Amino acid sequence: MLPSLLLLLLSAADVTSAASRSQTLLQYIDGRDDLSEAQRAEWREAVRIEFGGKAVKDGTDEGVTSAKSVIAAAIFNGVPPKSAAKAAYDAYHDTYRYVPPPIAVGYQLLKFAGRAPKAQPRELAFNFPRYFNEEMAPDVVRYWVQLLQTAKLTASEKAQLTRNVEKTRELMRPMLRERLWLGAELEAGAQTPQVRDDLRQLQDELQLDFAGVGKAASLDVRRSYHERYVDLSRELGLPAKARPVSAAPTAPTKPTAPTTPATPEPAKPARPQTPPTGWLASLSSVVSGWLGVPYLWGGLDKRGVDCSGFTRSVYASAFNIELPRNSRAQALLGEAVGRDGLRAGDLVFFDTLERGQITHVGIYVGDDQFVHASSSKGVVRAALSERYYVRAYLSSRRLLAH
């Protein structure tokens, strides 16, 4: 399949931070400040055995870059170095078999959990719409689109990639609708500096990740988020909620004819919500009921759950608050809060792959503890002050006004 593809997209498929991209694998391990000397030595040995001379290969090589992301995720999730080095090499090898780095890396995360699909990475890549995953979809589509623009492809290769892009974008339309509603809520709130920054981040995400998803009007910045949300809801044949009530005074408008009330949906709060009485006990009870549930990418129930599925399920059960399905979207809800000011119920976000963007989310439960769906251990309680969590920590958001 697609035998003539070349890995030309180093910048587009970058899966590590800029600081570590040029490092060889051994240099990358030596530079990890979250490993002890003994741990570093164990990691170096495992990587040398698995990679041989490739352990000192140019760090900008795409296979090496993917291997670094697997190593970062393995350290975050407590995977033993020998197993992790083997997984990193498999991801390295898959990039030379025309597997997009997001899938090459993501497949190894599933293996950490013991829940790898029967399909191999190449099948996941070339039949991605069949194995659709919200967290992975934007990166995969962006990778394919740039291949279509830059690589020399045969007519059949082009047709196959184009079909995959179109089918995946179709599956992403509910994700776009969710983002547009979030934008409508942000627009309706008081335009504080933080809200304006959240709107800028949302618009950047839409332009980067959702180009070509839905009709062009859905991304027309000249129109309000609510107008775009309504249009896309109509396109999908779904009921649309009424425009969010503005928190700020607005100029009087002419009366309009009454309209049929929209079908109610659970709230997706852009600003902190007042939690129900007894919310702390409810949070503790709900979270305790999830401990030990195995990890499953795309999972939403106690048969298996992933990180954003876990936070979404807990918030729905404990507070009757509906969160988006994607961790990056969840990071635009509520209000930003510093790590030193965390309270129980706050969401904490991490860059587990060292990509410079959110790839993981958990729930802070107090006393330096947070609960999350680890890809290697399932739903567990952990100390936020552990060095690998400190290194990966990116931000926190407060959704509960307490």
Side-chain angles (χ1 to χ4, degrees):
M1 297 179 183
L2 303 179
S4 67
L5 294 187
L6 299 175
L7 295 174
L8 303 174
L9 307 177
L10 297 181
S11 61
D14 190 0
V15 288
T16 59
S17 65
S20 60
R21 183 167 180 84
S22 63
Q23 296 174 332
T24 68
L25 286 175
L26 293 182
Q27 288 172 335
Y28 175 69
I29 290 168
D30 286 340
R32 296 278 313 197
D33 56 6
D34 52 347
L35 296 175
S36 68
E37 286 299 326
Q39 290 171 325
R40 205 172 284 121
E42 188 178 4
W43 272 99
R44 286 177 63 88
E45 181 183 8
V47 168
R48 275 185 174 138
I49 290 172
E50 196 64 48
F51 281 82
K54 299 181 182 70
V56 292
K57 189 175 182 178
D58 177 12
T60 59
D61 175 89
E62 194 57 58
V64 176
T65 299
S66 295
K68 291 174 190 172
S69 282
V70 173
I71 290 171
I75 292 172
F76 184 91
N77 288 287
V79 178
K82 286 184 180 179
S83 300
K86 173 64 167 63
Y89 186 79
D90 287 345
Y92 168 90
H93 184 257
D94 281 336
T95 60
Y96 294 99
R97 301 176 69 238
Y98 316 119
V99 176
I103 293 178
V105 174
Y107 184 82
Q108 299 309 319
L109 302 189
L110 292 174
K111 286 180 69 175
F112 290 164
R115 307 295 288 267
K118 293 179 181 179
Q120 293 300 303
R122 275 174 64 84
E123 184 180 348
L124 290 176
F126 295 108
N127 294 285
F128 183 73
R130 179 180 174 186
Y131 303 103
F132 180 77
N133 177 278
E134 283 196 10
E135 296 278 359
M136 197 185 291
D139 292 334
V140 171
V141 167
R142 193 158 56 248
Y143 181 89
W144 288 138
V145 166
Q146 294 205 28
L147 278 179
L148 285 167
Q149 294 172 347
T150 61
K152 294 180 179 179
L153 308 175
T154 66
S156 62
E157 291 168 352
K158 229 175 224 187
Q160 181 182 357
L161 275 186
T162 300
R163 282 194 300 271
N164 274 355
V165 168
E166 290 174 351
K167 289 178 182 178
T168 303
R169 281 175 168 168
E170 184 176 348
L171 293 170
M172 289 173 65
R173 290 191 297 170
M175 295 170 59
L176 175 58
R177 178 175 178 264
E178 192 174 64
R179 301 298 200 282
L180 293 175
W181 174 251
L182 173 57
E185 288 204 314
L186 289 170
E187 279 186 333
Q191 294 300 295
T192 64
Q194 182 190 303
V195 170
R196 289 194 291 272
D197 184 58
D198 289 343
L199 282 167
R200 281 193 295 271
Q201 288 187 49
L202 177 60
Q203 186 55 41
D204 289 344
E205 182 192 3
L206 293 181
Q207 290 178 337
L208 182 65
D209 291 346
F210 290 90
V213 177
K215 296 178 180 176
S218 298
L219 298 177
D220 187 349
V221 296
R222 295 169 298 181
R223 306 170 70 232
S224 73
Y225 276 98
H226 188 260
E227 288 173 328
R228 290 182 270 167
Y229 160 79
V230 170
D231 281 356
L232 185 55
S233 297
R234 187 179 298 117
E235 183 183 336
L236 295 173
L238 297 172
K241 292 183 283 188
R243 185 185 300 272
V245 178
S246 175
T250 56
T253 57
K254 294 180 180 179
T256 58
T259 58
T260 303
T263 302
E265 297 181 24
K268 293 189 183 78
R271 301 297 98 199
Q273 304 290 293
T274 302
T277 303
W279 68 270
L280 192 54
S282 176
L283 173 64
S284 178
S285 174
V286 171
V287 165
S288 295
W290 280 89
L291 292 174
V293 170
Y295 183 89
L296 177 62
W297 206 332
L300 278 170
D301 56 41
K302 292 185 178 179
R303 292 172 296 179
V305 71
D306 62 15
C307 66
S308 57
F310 167 68
T311 54
R312 178 183 170 100
S313 297
V314 169
Y315 260 76
S317 297
F319 312 122
N320 194 31
I321 290 175
E322 183 186 2
L323 303 185
R325 183 64 182 85
N326 179 280
S327 58
R328 278 180 263 179
Q330 291 180 10
L332 291 173
L333 302 177
E335 293 182 348
V337 58
R339 188 177 178 279
D340 293 339
L342 286 170
R343 298 177 186 170
D346 293 343
L347 297 180
V348 285
F349 298 92
F350 303 90
D351 175 10
T352 60
L353 304 181
E354 302 217 333
R355 300 172 60 183
Q357 66 182 30
I358 289 165
T359 57
H360 191 70
V361 58
I363 301 175
Y364 187 72
V365 291
D367 297 325
D368 188 47
Q369 301 287 302
F370 76 104
V371 180
H372 67 126
S374 162
S375 62
S376 62
K377 302 172 184 175
V379 178
V380 294
R381 186 186 297 263
L384 193 58
S385 57
E386 291 285 351
R387 286 181 297 178
Y388 33 87
Y389 297 136
V390 171
R391 178 182 173 107
Y393 172 84
L394 276 185
S395 61
S396 308
R397 302 291 288 206
R398 177 162 298 149
L399 279 67
L400 305 173
H402 57 81

